[in-house]
Each structure stands twice: as C-alpha cells, then as structure tokens.
Amino acid sequence: KTNDENPEISTRNSTKGDYEYPLNFTIDLQDHVLFQRIEYVNSGVNLGSGAIKRPSERLVNVKPLGTTTLPMPKNLQDASTVGWGEDKLNPLQAMGAGAISGLIGGVDEFNKSLNDSLDAFGSNTDQLKNLLKTSVAGNIVGSNIFTRTTGAIMNNNLELLFSGTNLRTFNFNYKLTPREAKEALECKSIIRSFKQSMMPILSDQTLFLNTPNVYKIKFIQATGNEMKEHKFLNRIKPCALVAVNVVYTPDNAYMTYGDGSMVGYDLSLSFKELEPIYSNDYDVKPGDGGMGF
C-alpha cells in the first residue's frame, strides 16, 4: 500500500505504526529497547483542591499509538541529580524573622519574640547592640563599620540546603545501515516517525498547538520464553522527545544505493522525563523492582 502523491513513500511513514531495526529482529532472543509512542494526557488540575496527578499516573493505561524496536545502544547510562544550594542566615536576619512572625501574633507576641532573641545572645548582648548601631551606620555610608570597628564578622550560618529535584535526560545513538531496499524504507520510516512525533499538533482552526506525542521507553530482556523489563538496567519515566539529530553522511561521504536510499544514517535521540524521580518510587521489595529508576 502506497501514498498516492508519492508511490515510493509507504503509508507506514507516520507516527501510527510499528517499526523495527534491523528487520526480522528476533525480539524473543535479543535484548532490545522498546519505544512506545503514546498520546499526551493533560494534568487535569483540580482548581478547588489543587491536586495534580503525576504524568506516570495519567499515562499508565494509555494505549500505545505505535512502537519502534531498536537494539541496545552501545553507550547505555543514566545520571540522577538533585538540587542543593548554599544558604545564609545571620543573627540580624534571624531576629528579623522572629520579630515578623511575632508581629503576626500581635504586640505581646512581638515583644516576646524580641526578648527571646535578645536572651539567645546571652553575654554577647553588648556586641549585639554595637552590631545594630554599626549596621545602621554602614547602610548609610555604604561600608562595613562593624568589622572595621570590632575586627569581627557576623556568623552567616552557611549551610547547604536541599533546593529541589531535577529532570533526567536520556540520549540514544544509533547507526542505521540498511542491507536491502525493504530495510532502507524501514529506516526512513523510523526516522520520519521520531521526527513527526516530537512536533506539536496544529489544531483544526490553527488557533492552538496541541502537545506532541510522548514516549514510554523500556529496556526489554529476552529469555527465549518471554520478554520482560530488564532487572539489571534502570527504568525510565514517561518522556518527551526533545531532539532528533540525523547525519545522512555518517562516513563523511555521500553514498547511496541504486534506488537513492542512503547507505547509512547516524540517528541521535534525546528524551527528557516528564517528572522527577522520588524516593517513594523505589518503595518495592528488594529484587522486585530490579535496578529501579
């Protein structure tokens, strides 16, 4: 079955289809990567409660639009990071925070907070008074009067604090070298499918851009009898395909077969997870979840 506008382009060249490379891939005997294209499901924020379902919860039962099966890449790795940052809180800032919190509770609470702050300095009360005076003077003249007059500095209580989670990125690099005309068409379909699926979908009235398809990526371990997710490789949350890079002259030379198909392609795919990984995601019995995320 072919496209009427161009008979050389198979109708399989769309995001809806199942592709594999190489052809006749023995998926029951070879470990491989399964890329499942799925339709994005929005968060459906409850404006009353503020509850938001995580992407992994919203997409868990979404039926794949199509799949692409590729061999295990050579450079297989993952990197997990979280955000930590330096934070400072000097005595004046601490006193100010206490006073403000006390002010919310009323005058009596404000006075109590202020007295508690003064008591906390104990024998350093005189130095605190000097600090307050010189801080005001320093703000006026733009100089550190306290250090100049006392030779001391405020303890800024430097501490490394957790600042948030990060999203992981996964890169897959493949060299596609078709061995026959049919496999050349399959390689073209695979590249076309990835490129099309990452693009936004134009609404009927061209007023809006709808979210592109997203992906579930699974490392499949083939045992000959069954296929299941690999226990010794990491798992991946639902991902957005953020970059596709194709080199049509992988050997720095333009070479084609007789029908014009390329001798080879260098295909690079970059995916980014839709949500961070949390400690709770590892809450399974040892061994049941394999490597985890």
Side-chain angles (χ1 to χ4, degrees):
K1 190 176 180 180
T2 59
N3 186 303
D4 293 335
E5 295 181 0
N6 190 338
E8 294 184 359
I9 298 180
S10 167
T11 54
R12 294 182 65 202
N13 290 344
S14 68
T15 56
K16 295 185 178 180
D18 297 323
Y19 310 106
E20 65 180 22
Y21 174 86
L23 285 180
N24 304 319
F25 193 87
T26 51
I27 58 176
D28 57 335
L29 297 176
Q30 292 178 265
D31 293 357
H32 57 275
V33 187
L34 180 64
F35 299 89
Q36 295 178 314
R37 298 178 296 279
I38 59 176
E39 185 176 356
Y40 179 79
V41 178
N42 60 47
S43 60
V45 179
N46 188 323
L47 298 180
S49 65
I52 301 176
K53 284 188 175 181
R54 297 170 62 186
S56 56
E57 297 172 335
R58 306 193 310 258
L59 301 173
V60 63
N61 294 319
V62 177
K63 186 178 180 180
L65 298 173
T67 63
T68 299
T69 301
L70 295 175
M72 287 290 188
K74 292 182 179 179
N75 187 16
L76 191 56
Q77 59 181 305
D78 73 82
S80 301
T81 63
V82 293
W84 289 79
E86 295 182 358
D87 188 78
K88 300 176 182 178
L89 182 67
N90 64 45
L92 288 182
Q93 291 172 324
M95 287 183 62
I100 291 174
S101 62
L103 189 60
I104 297 175
V107 176
D108 292 338
E109 187 66 26
F110 172 76
N111 290 331
K112 182 179 183 303
S113 298
L114 188 58
N115 290 330
D116 289 344
S117 298
L118 292 174
D119 291 341
F121 280 90
S123 60
N124 296 316
T125 304
D126 292 337
Q127 193 174 26
L128 173 62
K129 293 179 181 179
N130 189 25
L131 173 61
L132 293 172
K133 292 178 183 179
T134 54
S135 294
V136 174
N139 290 330
I140 295 175
V141 302
S143 180
N144 191 341
I145 304 299
F146 179 74
T147 302
R148 286 180 178 273
T149 57
T150 66
I153 63 171
M154 280 189 291
N155 179 8
N156 57 23
N157 295 297
L158 180 64
E159 184 175 351
L160 190 67
L161 299 179
F162 176 68
S163 61
T165 55
N166 297 324
L167 297 172
R168 298 188 299 178
T169 297
F170 295 91
N171 297 309
F172 295 87
N173 300 307
Y174 290 100
K175 187 177 183 67
L176 308 180
T177 53
R179 299 161 296 178
E180 57 179 339
K182 187 177 180 181
E183 196 165 73
L185 287 175
E186 190 78 356
C187 290
K188 182 172 64 173
S189 297
I190 289 172
I191 295 172
R192 182 185 175 100
S193 172
F194 279 124
K195 292 170 70 173
Q196 182 178 0
S197 67
M198 71 177 290
M199 297 302 173
I201 303 167
L202 194 62
S203 65
D204 293 338
Q205 302 300 323
T206 69
L207 295 177
F208 305 101
L209 294 178
N210 295 321
T211 303
N213 295 151
V214 292
Y215 280 82
K216 290 181 179 179
I217 304 174
K218 299 180 180 180
F219 298 117
I220 304 300
Q221 182 179 10
T223 62
N225 298 320
E226 59 178 344
M227 293 179 294
K228 54 187 177 181
E229 289 197 62
H230 208 294
K231 287 186 176 181
F232 295 92
L233 292 176
N234 63 290
R235 294 192 178 187
I236 302 176
K237 293 282 187 178
C239 290
L241 178 56
V242 297
V244 175
N245 185 52
V246 183
V247 177
Y248 297 93
T249 54
D251 297 316
N252 296 321
Y254 177 77
M255 299 179 63
T256 67
Y257 290 113
D259 61 355
S261 61
M262 308 305 297
V263 172
Y265 305 88
D266 280 345
L267 174 63
S268 299
L269 307 170
S270 182
F271 294 88
K272 196 164 189 175
E273 284 182 318
L274 298 179
E275 65 175 279
I277 304 300
Y278 300 98
S279 177
N280 313 63
D281 294 324
Y282 289 86
D283 286 344
V284 293
K285 294 179 180 179
D288 291 355
M291 183 65 68
F293 294 93

